[in-house]
Amino acid sequence: MVSVLASQHIRDSNSGRIAALRRLLFTLLILPFAAAAQAQPMHGIAMHGEPALAADYMHFPYVNPDVKKGGKVNYGVVGTYDALNPFVLKGMRTTARGVWDPEFGNLLYEPLMSRSADEPFTLYGLLAETVEWDADRTYVQFNLNPKARWHDGKPVTPEDVIFTFELLRDKGRPPFNGRLNAVASMEKVGDHGIKFTFNEKANRETPLIFANSTPILPKHAIDPETFDQGGLAIPVGSGPYRIKELKPGEKVTWARDPDYWGKDLPSKVGFDNYDEISVTYFLQEATLFEAFKKGEIDIYPDGDSNHWQRAYNFPAAENGDVVKEAFKPGLPSGMLGFVFNTRRPIFSDVKVREAISTAFDFEAMNKTLFGNAFTRTQSYWQNSALGAYGNAADERELALLGPAREKLSPEILAGTYTQSATDGSGGDRKALGKAVKLFQEAGYKIQGGKMIDAAGKPLAFEVMTQNEGQEKMAIAFQRTLKLIGIDMAIRTVDDAQYQARSNSFDYDMIIKAYTSSLSPGAEQVNRWASEAKDAQGSFNYAGVADPDIDRMIEALLQARDPADFQAAVRAYDRLLVAGHYLVPLYHIGEQWVARWKHIGRPDTAPLYGYQRSTWFDARVQ
């Protein structure tokens, strides 16, 4: 018996030594190769799946790679400016367009990687030539392009990247000031690498946010002490254009940098085609359009259906010198609406918000103001597989929702819920009766022609509008609410005041648009998460703080499998709809743009629609 036990002990010892030896060999010989294989420098990174373009791609598929650069373009915008720093609250209010502006092509500052507009969320090399990460995305390493240069000729360095993240943490506005909350360590690797190791606050999108949504700033050209003081001193950037001339509040002229370091990068071929870009500021939309008609402005994006149908009867449009085009991007609807500020006690009750939404006569407004051109928006990701509208919650989604499903009506869970519809008369008694019943459930009643609460206080609030178009929609809403004793005041303010009050949440109700993409991610935190509720400058205009919404944002951020991601976004969509945080308006489904014919464009438009930064002056071709 002793010999048997001894033999067993020897076998166990040998087995243990063999296992230990195997572990040692794996650690010393196999693991380094596995890690290296996993963290090979890559030319691109996608939120889900792999980049569509191979490492040897020559250009994005939606550009004209043979375009001849030259000429100029004149843009027009409504508003003004008095600063060149969009990264701080003081400068955010009236910052000049183009400094950090994807629509115009990030003329001055650049991110580490460039986004392809033909994929849901994929990034390719720009300031960073390659990127590395592990399977769980616990870290990301950006390897800077050795050719990257600032406008003054100095190289872009890892020290610049580290300086940027630290400066924006200390001086920046949301969401820039919170980026390092997800970082356990930030370090320089070799001559050109920067490695971010993440903590538990990071998610799978964090590396992409760091890569594309953060500008890289020059350490040698910025004084941290004065960074947040605004002003019009011309900054040093790394982008394709430099500021040529400033007319404070009126105009900015940009000149293409002939020595731009990145002009031959695959992600830059076919972009930045004008020698000169001017951005002129107008106080009113009508004045801007008149300037377009005269040829002083070259491109006019149009979002007004009546205007699009009726305003282009001037000679240049009739003889073909002005071209009208409608683009159909493959994107979800997004959401435009009257947003309730739930920080206000009168809007803290979801039943009150639902009642006010029910009273809104969209059909009358659509007929009167827009000639029935628009479709009512029913969810935040309508017209896509990510949207809840038209799609019933499956078991995967119900499991994600958990107890939160009790908040949702059977119609919302079934994907059949729609906003209250009317007969379009502007005074539909049936719809108004439904709204009054909801008010009664919330403790209100009509007395003396006024909607009053249990304490006898009349229900009254103000909507802040920014322009004539918003004001017209508010007036239509005002008329209907007055029929059931609700006093809605309207205050139209200038651009500077609108931005300042938006930043500080100083309003009862506001009209805002929320764009939706096919890869919603960290931007949702800044719009709807509890942590953004009281962060001035955030986009949580509704003041939402709901643990279930926070959970769904986290679920969509952490999803690896496309089916899990879809389920998380749909569940999130249902919770937003059920919360009645805004009164939904409409979506177009098309992008309307008019341009003078000397402005040319590539033959194809990508998934995200037309890209102004790929257009060109056809007179030099």
Side-chain angles (χ1 to χ4, degrees), residues 128-160:
E129 188 173 29
T130 58
V131 58
E132 305 174 34
W133 67 94
D134 62 350
D136 291 329
R137 297 188 182 178
T138 62
Y139 77 89
V140 65
Q141 179 174 320
F142 300 105
N143 303 308
L144 295 178
N145 192 318
K147 298 177 182 178
R149 291 288 184 276
W150 299 107
H151 289 156
D152 59 11
K154 295 183 182 296
V156 179
T157 66
E159 286 80 5
D160 290 320

PDB file of all heavy atoms in Angstrom, residues 128-160:
ATOM      1  N   ALA A 128      -1.792  59.315 -36.745  1.00  0.00           N
ATOM      2  CA  ALA A 128      -1.272  58.002 -36.371  1.00  0.00           C
ATOM      3  C   ALA A 128      -1.221  57.133 -37.628  1.00  0.00           C
ATOM      4  O   ALA A 128      -2.232  56.935 -38.301  1.00  0.00           O
ATOM      5  CB  ALA A 128      -2.152  57.346 -35.314  1.00  0.00           C
ATOM      6  N   GLU A 129      -0.059  56.633 -37.952  1.00  0.00           N
ATOM      7  CA  GLU A 129       0.111  55.801 -39.136  1.00  0.00           C
ATOM      8  C   GLU A 129      -0.506  54.429 -38.933  1.00  0.00           C
ATOM      9  O   GLU A 129      -1.139  53.874 -39.838  1.00  0.00           O
ATOM     10  CB  GLU A 129       1.604  55.665 -39.448  1.00  0.00           C
ATOM     11  CG  GLU A 129       1.913  54.976 -40.760  1.00  0.00           C
ATOM     12  CD  GLU A 129       3.398  55.023 -41.070  1.00  0.00           C
ATOM     13  OE1 GLU A 129       4.212  55.067 -40.122  1.00  0.00           O
ATOM     14  OE2 GLU A 129       3.750  55.041 -42.269  1.00  0.00           O
ATOM     15  N   THR A 130      -0.348  53.868 -37.723  1.00  0.00           N
ATOM     16  CA  THR A 130      -0.908  52.558 -37.397  1.00  0.00           C
ATOM     17  C   THR A 130      -1.439  52.579 -35.971  1.00  0.00           C
ATOM     18  O   THR A 130      -1.167  53.501 -35.182  1.00  0.00           O
ATOM     19  CB  THR A 130       0.142  51.438 -37.516  1.00  0.00           C
ATOM     20  OG1 THR A 130       1.240  51.722 -36.645  1.00  0.00           O
ATOM     21  CG2 THR A 130       0.635  51.301 -38.950  1.00  0.00           C
ATOM     22  N   VAL A 131      -2.200  51.529 -35.625  1.00  0.00           N
ATOM     23  CA  VAL A 131      -2.806  51.416 -34.304  1.00  0.00           C
ATOM     24  C   VAL A 131      -2.719  49.961 -33.851  1.00  0.00           C
ATOM     25  O   VAL A 131      -2.782  49.042 -34.667  1.00  0.00           O
ATOM     26  CB  VAL A 131      -4.273  51.903 -34.347  1.00  0.00           C
ATOM     27  CG1 VAL A 131      -5.097  51.107 -35.352  1.00  0.00           C
ATOM     28  CG2 VAL A 131      -4.917  51.853 -32.968  1.00  0.00           C
ATOM     29  N   GLU A 132      -2.575  49.757 -32.553  1.00  0.00           N
ATOM     30  CA  GLU A 132      -2.479  48.409 -31.976  1.00  0.00           C
ATOM     31  C   GLU A 132      -3.433  48.306 -30.788  1.00  0.00           C
ATOM     32  O   GLU A 132      -3.639  49.271 -30.066  1.00  0.00           O
ATOM     33  CB  GLU A 132      -1.046  48.128 -31.494  1.00  0.00           C
ATOM     34  CG  GLU A 132       0.029  48.321 -32.553  1.00  0.00           C
ATOM     35  CD  GLU A 132       1.430  48.167 -31.987  1.00  0.00           C
ATOM     36  OE1 GLU A 132       1.611  47.345 -31.058  1.00  0.00           O
ATOM     37  OE2 GLU A 132       2.347  48.875 -32.461  1.00  0.00           O
ATOM     38  N   TRP A 133      -3.975  47.095 -30.591  1.00  0.00           N
ATOM     39  CA  TRP A 133      -4.856  46.854 -29.450  1.00  0.00           C
ATOM     40  C   TRP A 133      -4.943  45.362 -29.198  1.00  0.00           C
ATOM     41  O   TRP A 133      -4.543  44.555 -30.047  1.00  0.00           O
ATOM     42  CB  TRP A 133      -6.244  47.435 -29.704  1.00  0.00           C
ATOM     43  CG  TRP A 133      -7.008  46.744 -30.804  1.00  0.00           C
ATOM     44  CD1 TRP A 133      -7.915  45.731 -30.689  1.00  0.00           C
ATOM     45  CD2 TRP A 133      -6.924  47.018 -32.220  1.00  0.00           C
ATOM     46  NE1 TRP A 133      -8.406  45.359 -31.930  1.00  0.00           N
ATOM     47  CE2 TRP A 133      -7.810  46.134 -32.882  1.00  0.00           C
ATOM     48  CE3 TRP A 133      -6.182  47.934 -32.991  1.00  0.00           C
ATOM     49  CZ2 TRP A 133      -7.961  46.135 -34.278  1.00  0.00           C
ATOM     50  CZ3 TRP A 133      -6.347  47.919 -34.368  1.00  0.00           C
ATOM     51  CH2 TRP A 133      -7.227  47.035 -34.995  1.00  0.00           C
ATOM     52  N   ASP A 134      -5.461  44.988 -28.037  1.00  0.00           N
ATOM     53  CA  ASP A 134      -5.660  43.569 -27.745  1.00  0.00           C
ATOM     54  C   ASP A 134      -7.123  43.215 -27.970  1.00  0.00           C
ATOM     55  O   ASP A 134      -7.956  44.079 -28.229  1.00  0.00           O
ATOM     56  CB  ASP A 134      -5.205  43.231 -26.321  1.00  0.00           C
ATOM     57  CG  ASP A 134      -6.001  43.972 -25.266  1.00  0.00           C
ATOM     58  OD1 ASP A 134      -6.772  44.879 -25.633  1.00  0.00           O
ATOM     59  OD2 ASP A 134      -5.846  43.647 -24.075  1.00  0.00           O
ATOM     60  N   ALA A 135      -7.438  41.921 -27.856  1.00  0.00           N
ATOM     61  CA  ALA A 135      -8.778  41.441 -28.184  1.00  0.00           C
ATOM     62  C   ALA A 135      -9.851  42.089 -27.308  1.00  0.00           C
ATOM     63  O   ALA A 135     -10.962  42.348 -27.768  1.00  0.00           O
ATOM     64  CB  ALA A 135      -8.831  39.919 -28.055  1.00  0.00           C
ATOM     65  N   ASP A 136      -9.520  42.339 -26.052  1.00  0.00           N
ATOM     66  CA  ASP A 136     -10.493  42.935 -25.140  1.00  0.00           C
ATOM     67  C   ASP A 136     -10.438  44.454 -25.136  1.00  0.00           C
ATOM     68  O   ASP A 136     -11.165  45.101 -24.376  1.00  0.00           O
ATOM     69  CB  ASP A 136     -10.257  42.414 -23.720  1.00  0.00           C
ATOM     70  CG  ASP A 136     -10.604  40.938 -23.583  1.00  0.00           C
ATOM     71  OD1 ASP A 136     -11.507  40.482 -24.306  1.00  0.00           O
ATOM     72  OD2 ASP A 136      -9.963  40.246 -22.774  1.00  0.00           O
ATOM     73  N   ARG A 137      -9.559  45.015 -25.945  1.00  0.00           N
ATOM     74  CA  ARG A 137      -9.376  46.470 -26.025  1.00  0.00           C
ATOM     75  C   ARG A 137      -9.111  47.062 -24.650  1.00  0.00           C
ATOM     76  O   ARG A 137      -9.673  48.103 -24.274  1.00  0.00           O
ATOM     77  CB  ARG A 137     -10.571  47.136 -26.711  1.00  0.00           C
ATOM     78  CG  ARG A 137     -10.733  46.676 -28.153  1.00  0.00           C
ATOM     79  CD  ARG A 137     -11.779  47.450 -28.921  1.00  0.00           C
ATOM     80  NE  ARG A 137     -11.919  46.918 -30.279  1.00  0.00           N
ATOM     81  CZ  ARG A 137     -12.776  47.364 -31.186  1.00  0.00           C
ATOM     82  NH1 ARG A 137     -13.581  48.371 -30.900  1.00  0.00           N
ATOM     83  NH2 ARG A 137     -12.842  46.822 -32.382  1.00  0.00           N
ATOM     84  N   THR A 138      -8.253  46.395 -23.913  1.00  0.00           N
ATOM     85  CA  THR A 138      -7.845  46.925 -22.613  1.00  0.00           C
ATOM     86  C   THR A 138      -6.798  48.023 -22.781  1.00  0.00           C
ATOM     87  O   THR A 138      -6.492  48.738 -21.827  1.00  0.00           O
ATOM     88  CB  THR A 138      -7.274  45.824 -21.725  1.00  0.00           C
ATOM     89  OG1 THR A 138      -6.092  45.276 -22.346  1.00  0.00           O
ATOM     90  CG2 THR A 138      -8.288  44.708 -21.523  1.00  0.00           C
ATOM     91  N   TYR A 139      -6.261  48.134 -23.965  1.00  0.00           N
ATOM     92  CA  TYR A 139      -5.312  49.209 -24.259  1.00  0.00           C
ATOM     93  C   TYR A 139      -5.373  49.518 -25.744  1.00  0.00           C
ATOM     94  O   TYR A 139      -5.907  48.747 -26.551  1.00  0.00           O
ATOM     95  CB  TYR A 139      -3.876  48.826 -23.862  1.00  0.00           C
ATOM     96  CG  TYR A 139      -3.196  47.879 -24.832  1.00  0.00           C
ATOM     97  CD1 TYR A 139      -2.473  48.375 -25.922  1.00  0.00           C
ATOM     98  CD2 TYR A 139      -3.283  46.501 -24.676  1.00  0.00           C
ATOM     99  CE1 TYR A 139      -1.854  47.522 -26.814  1.00  0.00           C
ATOM    100  CE2 TYR A 139      -2.678  45.640 -25.562  1.00  0.00           C
ATOM    101  CZ  TYR A 139      -1.960  46.149 -26.637  1.00  0.00           C
ATOM    102  OH  TYR A 139      -1.361  45.294 -27.533  1.00  0.00           O
ATOM    103  N   VAL A 140      -4.838  50.658 -26.111  1.00  0.00           N
ATOM    104  CA  VAL A 140      -4.649  51.000 -27.516  1.00  0.00           C
ATOM    105  C   VAL A 140      -3.338  51.764 -27.625  1.00  0.00           C
ATOM    106  O   VAL A 140      -2.985  52.547 -26.739  1.00  0.00           O
ATOM    107  CB  VAL A 140      -5.816  51.844 -28.067  1.00  0.00           C
ATOM    108  CG1 VAL A 140      -5.898  53.209 -27.391  1.00  0.00           C
ATOM    109  CG2 VAL A 140      -5.699  52.027 -29.583  1.00  0.00           C
ATOM    110  N   GLN A 141      -2.609  51.486 -28.674  1.00  0.00           N
ATOM    111  CA  GLN A 141      -1.360  52.196 -28.933  1.00  0.00           C
ATOM    112  C   GLN A 141      -1.415  52.817 -30.311  1.00  0.00           C
ATOM    113  O   GLN A 141      -1.668  52.135 -31.306  1.00  0.00           O
ATOM    114  CB  GLN A 141      -0.158  51.263 -28.828  1.00  0.00           C
ATOM    115  CG  GLN A 141       1.174  51.966 -29.106  1.00  0.00           C
ATOM    116  CD  GLN A 141       2.369  51.072 -28.861  1.00  0.00           C
ATOM    117  OE1 GLN A 141       2.397  50.306 -27.895  1.00  0.00           O
ATOM    118  NE2 GLN A 141       3.377  51.153 -29.745  1.00  0.00           N
ATOM    119  N   PHE A 142      -1.199  54.117 -30.368  1.00  0.00           N
ATOM    120  CA  PHE A 142      -1.157  54.841 -31.632  1.00  0.00           C
ATOM    121  C   PHE A 142       0.299  55.104 -31.992  1.00  0.00           C
ATOM    122  O   PHE A 142       1.067  55.616 -31.171  1.00  0.00           O
ATOM    123  CB  PHE A 142      -1.915  56.159 -31.526  1.00  0.00           C
ATOM    124  CG  PHE A 142      -3.364  56.009 -31.173  1.00  0.00           C
ATOM    125  CD1 PHE A 142      -3.821  56.304 -29.893  1.00  0.00           C
ATOM    126  CD2 PHE A 142      -4.274  55.548 -32.107  1.00  0.00           C
ATOM    127  CE1 PHE A 142      -5.146  56.164 -29.561  1.00  0.00           C
ATOM    128  CE2 PHE A 142      -5.617  55.403 -31.790  1.00  0.00           C
ATOM    129  CZ  PHE A 142      -6.048  55.700 -30.517  1.00  0.00           C
ATOM    130  N   ASN A 143       0.665  54.760 -33.214  1.00  0.00           N
ATOM    131  CA  ASN A 143       2.024  54.976 -33.699  1.00  0.00           C
ATOM    132  C   ASN A 143       2.005  56.132 -34.698  1.00  0.00           C
ATOM    133  O   ASN A 143       1.471  56.007 -35.798  1.00  0.00           O
ATOM    134  CB  ASN A 143       2.559  53.701 -34.352  1.00  0.00           C
ATOM    135  CG  ASN A 143       2.525  52.527 -33.384  1.00  0.00           C
ATOM    136  OD1 ASN A 143       3.028  52.620 -32.267  1.00  0.00           O
ATOM    137  ND2 ASN A 143       1.908  51.425 -33.795  1.00  0.00           N
ATOM    138  N   LEU A 144       2.545  57.264 -34.291  1.00  0.00           N
ATOM    139  CA  LEU A 144       2.472  58.471 -35.104  1.00  0.00           C
ATOM    140  C   LEU A 144       3.240  58.316 -36.404  1.00  0.00           C
ATOM    141  O   LEU A 144       4.276  57.639 -36.469  1.00  0.00           O
ATOM    142  CB  LEU A 144       3.025  59.663 -34.331  1.00  0.00           C
ATOM    143  CG  LEU A 144       2.260  60.082 -33.085  1.00  0.00           C
ATOM    144  CD1 LEU A 144       2.966  61.248 -32.406  1.00  0.00           C
ATOM    145  CD2 LEU A 144       0.827  60.457 -33.426  1.00  0.00           C
ATOM    146  N   ASN A 145       2.711  58.980 -37.440  1.00  0.00           N
ATOM    147  CA  ASN A 145       3.408  59.028 -38.713  1.00  0.00           C
ATOM    148  C   ASN A 145       4.629  59.938 -38.561  1.00  0.00           C
ATOM    149  O   ASN A 145       4.487  61.104 -38.186  1.00  0.00           O
ATOM    150  CB  ASN A 145       2.474  59.577 -39.792  1.00  0.00           C
ATOM    151  CG  ASN A 145       3.009  59.387 -41.190  1.00  0.00           C
ATOM    152  OD1 ASN A 145       4.197  59.595 -41.435  1.00  0.00           O
ATOM    153  ND2 ASN A 145       2.137  59.020 -42.115  1.00  0.00           N
ATOM    154  N   PRO A 146       5.828  59.441 -38.831  1.00  0.00           N
ATOM    155  CA  PRO A 146       7.032  60.286 -38.679  1.00  0.00           C
ATOM    156  C   PRO A 146       7.009  61.541 -39.534  1.00  0.00           C
ATOM    157  O   PRO A 146       7.732  62.500 -39.253  1.00  0.00           O
ATOM    158  CB  PRO A 146       8.176  59.348 -39.102  1.00  0.00           C
ATOM    159  CG  PRO A 146       7.624  57.967 -38.950  1.00  0.00           C
ATOM    160  CD  PRO A 146       6.158  58.072 -39.253  1.00  0.00           C
ATOM    161  N   LYS A 147       6.160  61.536 -40.585  1.00  0.00           N
ATOM    162  CA  LYS A 147       6.088  62.706 -41.463  1.00  0.00           C
ATOM    163  C   LYS A 147       5.183  63.817 -40.918  1.00  0.00           C
ATOM    164  O   LYS A 147       5.187  64.931 -41.453  1.00  0.00           O
ATOM    165  CB  LYS A 147       5.582  62.280 -42.843  1.00  0.00           C
ATOM    166  CG  LYS A 147       6.484  61.285 -43.570  1.00  0.00           C
ATOM    167  CD  LYS A 147       5.854  60.884 -44.895  1.00  0.00           C
ATOM    168  CE  LYS A 147       6.713  59.853 -45.625  1.00  0.00           C
ATOM    169  NZ  LYS A 147       6.081  59.417 -46.906  1.00  0.00           N
ATOM    170  N   ALA A 148       4.377  63.511 -39.895  1.00  0.00           N
ATOM    171  CA  ALA A 148       3.390  64.473 -39.403  1.00  0.00           C
ATOM    172  C   ALA A 148       4.078  65.727 -38.880  1.00  0.00           C
ATOM    173  O   ALA A 148       5.013  65.654 -38.073  1.00  0.00           O
ATOM    174  CB  ALA A 148       2.531  63.834 -38.322  1.00  0.00           C
ATOM    175  N   ARG A 149       3.587  66.895 -39.319  1.00  0.00           N
ATOM    176  CA  ARG A 149       4.196  68.170 -38.960  1.00  0.00           C
ATOM    177  C   ARG A 149       3.128  69.206 -38.605  1.00  0.00           C
ATOM    178  O   ARG A 149       2.021  69.206 -39.136  1.00  0.00           O
ATOM    179  CB  ARG A 149       5.020  68.717 -40.137  1.00  0.00           C
ATOM    180  CG  ARG A 149       6.270  67.928 -40.461  1.00  0.00           C
ATOM    181  CD  ARG A 149       7.334  68.126 -39.389  1.00  0.00           C
ATOM    182  NE  ARG A 149       8.586  67.471 -39.701  1.00  0.00           N
ATOM    183  CZ  ARG A 149       8.860  66.188 -39.451  1.00  0.00           C
ATOM    184  NH1 ARG A 149       7.939  65.415 -38.911  1.00  0.00           N
ATOM    185  NH2 ARG A 149      10.040  65.679 -39.748  1.00  0.00           N
ATOM    186  N   TRP A 150       3.518  70.119 -37.709  1.00  0.00           N
ATOM    187  CA  TRP A 150       2.718  71.298 -37.437  1.00  0.00           C
ATOM    188  C   TRP A 150       2.988  72.340 -38.518  1.00  0.00           C
ATOM    189  O   TRP A 150       3.941  72.220 -39.282  1.00  0.00           O
ATOM    190  CB  TRP A 150       3.067  71.864 -36.060  1.00  0.00           C
ATOM    191  CG  TRP A 150       2.797  70.894 -34.937  1.00  0.00           C
ATOM    192  CD1 TRP A 150       3.722  70.214 -34.216  1.00  0.00           C
ATOM    193  CD2 TRP A 150       1.522  70.491 -34.447  1.00  0.00           C
ATOM    194  NE1 TRP A 150       3.104  69.404 -33.293  1.00  0.00           N
ATOM    195  CE2 TRP A 150       1.743  69.554 -33.414  1.00  0.00           C
ATOM    196  CE3 TRP A 150       0.204  70.823 -34.776  1.00  0.00           C
ATOM    197  CZ2 TRP A 150       0.710  68.952 -32.709  1.00  0.00           C
ATOM    198  CZ3 TRP A 150      -0.834  70.226 -34.069  1.00  0.00           C
ATOM    199  CH2 TRP A 150      -0.577  69.312 -33.047  1.00  0.00           C
ATOM    200  N   HIS A 151       2.158  73.350 -38.552  1.00  0.00           N
ATOM    201  CA  HIS A 151       2.315  74.387 -39.578  1.00  0.00           C
ATOM    202  C   HIS A 151       3.652  75.108 -39.504  1.00  0.00           C
ATOM    203  O   HIS A 151       4.130  75.653 -40.500  1.00  0.00           O
ATOM    204  CB  HIS A 151       1.176  75.412 -39.465  1.00  0.00           C
ATOM    205  CG  HIS A 151      -0.159  74.881 -39.907  1.00  0.00           C
ATOM    206  ND1 HIS A 151      -1.349  75.393 -39.469  1.00  0.00           N
ATOM    207  CD2 HIS A 151      -0.481  73.860 -40.748  1.00  0.00           C
ATOM    208  CE1 HIS A 151      -2.351  74.725 -40.013  1.00  0.00           C
ATOM    209  NE2 HIS A 151      -1.855  73.792 -40.793  1.00  0.00           N
ATOM    210  N   ASP A 152       4.260  75.126 -38.310  1.00  0.00           N
ATOM    211  CA  ASP A 152       5.562  75.785 -38.185  1.00  0.00           C
ATOM    212  C   ASP A 152       6.732  74.849 -38.478  1.00  0.00           C
ATOM    213  O   ASP A 152       7.887  75.203 -38.278  1.00  0.00           O
ATOM    214  CB  ASP A 152       5.713  76.407 -36.794  1.00  0.00           C
ATOM    215  CG  ASP A 152       5.583  75.382 -35.666  1.00  0.00           C
ATOM    216  OD1 ASP A 152       5.579  74.169 -35.949  1.00  0.00           O
ATOM    217  OD2 ASP A 152       5.476  75.803 -34.498  1.00  0.00           O
ATOM    218  N   GLY A 153       6.417  73.637 -38.970  1.00  0.00           N
ATOM    219  CA  GLY A 153       7.464  72.706 -39.375  1.00  0.00           C
ATOM    220  C   GLY A 153       7.929  71.747 -38.309  1.00  0.00           C
ATOM    221  O   GLY A 153       8.656  70.782 -38.597  1.00  0.00           O
ATOM    222  N   LYS A 154       7.530  71.955 -37.067  1.00  0.00           N
ATOM    223  CA  LYS A 154       7.947  71.053 -35.996  1.00  0.00           C
ATOM    224  C   LYS A 154       7.171  69.736 -36.089  1.00  0.00           C
ATOM    225  O   LYS A 154       6.013  69.719 -36.495  1.00  0.00           O
ATOM    226  CB  LYS A 154       7.733  71.709 -34.630  1.00  0.00           C
ATOM    227  CG  LYS A 154       8.598  72.936 -34.386  1.00  0.00           C
ATOM    228  CD  LYS A 154       8.398  73.485 -32.989  1.00  0.00           C
ATOM    229  CE  LYS A 154       9.240  74.739 -32.765  1.00  0.00           C
ATOM    230  NZ  LYS A 154      10.695  74.447 -32.835  1.00  0.00           N
ATOM    231  N   PRO A 155       7.787  68.616 -35.710  1.00  0.00           N
ATOM    232  CA  PRO A 155       7.111  67.325 -35.814  1.00  0.00           C
ATOM    233  C   PRO A 155       6.010  67.163 -34.771  1.00  0.00           C
ATOM    234  O   PRO A 155       6.080  67.747 -33.677  1.00  0.00           O
ATOM    235  CB  PRO A 155       8.242  66.322 -35.569  1.00  0.00           C
ATOM    236  CG  PRO A 155       9.232  67.071 -34.747  1.00  0.00           C
ATOM    237  CD  PRO A 155       9.174  68.487 -35.231  1.00  0.00           C
ATOM    238  N   VAL A 156       4.993  66.384 -35.116  1.00  0.00           N
ATOM    239  CA  VAL A 156       3.965  65.991 -34.149  1.00  0.00           C
ATOM    240  C   VAL A 156       4.520  64.826 -33.347  1.00  0.00           C
ATOM    241  O   VAL A 156       4.960  63.823 -33.920  1.00  0.00           O
ATOM    242  CB  VAL A 156       2.661  65.582 -34.859  1.00  0.00           C
ATOM    243  CG1 VAL A 156       1.610  65.157 -33.844  1.00  0.00           C
ATOM    244  CG2 VAL A 156       2.142  66.734 -35.726  1.00  0.00           C
ATOM    245  N   THR A 157       4.522  64.943 -32.033  1.00  0.00           N
ATOM    246  CA  THR A 157       5.209  63.988 -31.178  1.00  0.00           C
ATOM    247  C   THR A 157       4.259  63.332 -30.181  1.00  0.00           C
ATOM    248  O   THR A 157       3.156  63.834 -29.923  1.00  0.00           O
ATOM    249  CB  THR A 157       6.329  64.685 -30.385  1.00  0.00           C
ATOM    250  OG1 THR A 157       5.718  65.620 -29.468  1.00  0.00           O
ATOM    251  CG2 THR A 157       7.277  65.432 -31.319  1.00  0.00           C
ATOM    252  N   PRO A 158       4.701  62.229 -29.579  1.00  0.00           N
ATOM    253  CA  PRO A 158       3.907  61.641 -28.491  1.00  0.00           C
ATOM    254  C   PRO A 158       3.673  62.622 -27.354  1.00  0.00           C
ATOM    255  O   PRO A 158       2.618  62.597 -26.707  1.00  0.00           O
ATOM    256  CB  PRO A 158       4.770  60.456 -28.042  1.00  0.00           C
ATOM    257  CG  PRO A 158       5.547  60.077 -29.257  1.00  0.00           C
ATOM    258  CD  PRO A 158       5.846  61.371 -29.942  1.00  0.00           C
ATOM    259  N   GLU A 159       4.648  63.508 -27.117  1.00  0.00           N
ATOM    260  CA  GLU A 159       4.482  64.508 -26.072  1.00  0.00           C
ATOM    261  C   GLU A 159       3.303  65.435 -26.371  1.00  0.00           C
ATOM    262  O   GLU A 159       2.604  65.888 -25.449  1.00  0.00           O
ATOM    263  CB  GLU A 159       5.769  65.320 -25.915  1.00  0.00           C
ATOM    264  CG  GLU A 159       6.904  64.579 -25.233  1.00  0.00           C
ATOM    265  CD  GLU A 159       7.663  63.631 -26.151  1.00  0.00           C
ATOM    266  OE1 GLU A 159       7.368  63.617 -27.377  1.00  0.00           O
ATOM    267  OE2 GLU A 159       8.542  62.906 -25.659  1.00  0.00           O
ATOM    268  N   ASP A 160       3.070  65.731 -27.658  1.00  0.00           N
ATOM    269  CA  ASP A 160       1.911  66.546 -28.037  1.00  0.00           C
ATOM    270  C   ASP A 160       0.609  65.841 -27.677  1.00  0.00           C
ATOM    271  O   ASP A 160      -0.342  66.473 -27.200  1.00  0.00           O
ATOM    272  CB  ASP A 160       1.936  66.838 -29.542  1.00  0.00           C
ATOM    273  CG  ASP A 160       3.046  67.792 -29.946  1.00  0.00           C
ATOM    274  OD1 ASP A 160       3.291  68.762 -29.205  1.00  0.00           O
ATOM    275  OD2 ASP A 160       3.675  67.553 -30.993  1.00  0.00           O
TER     276      ASP A 160
END
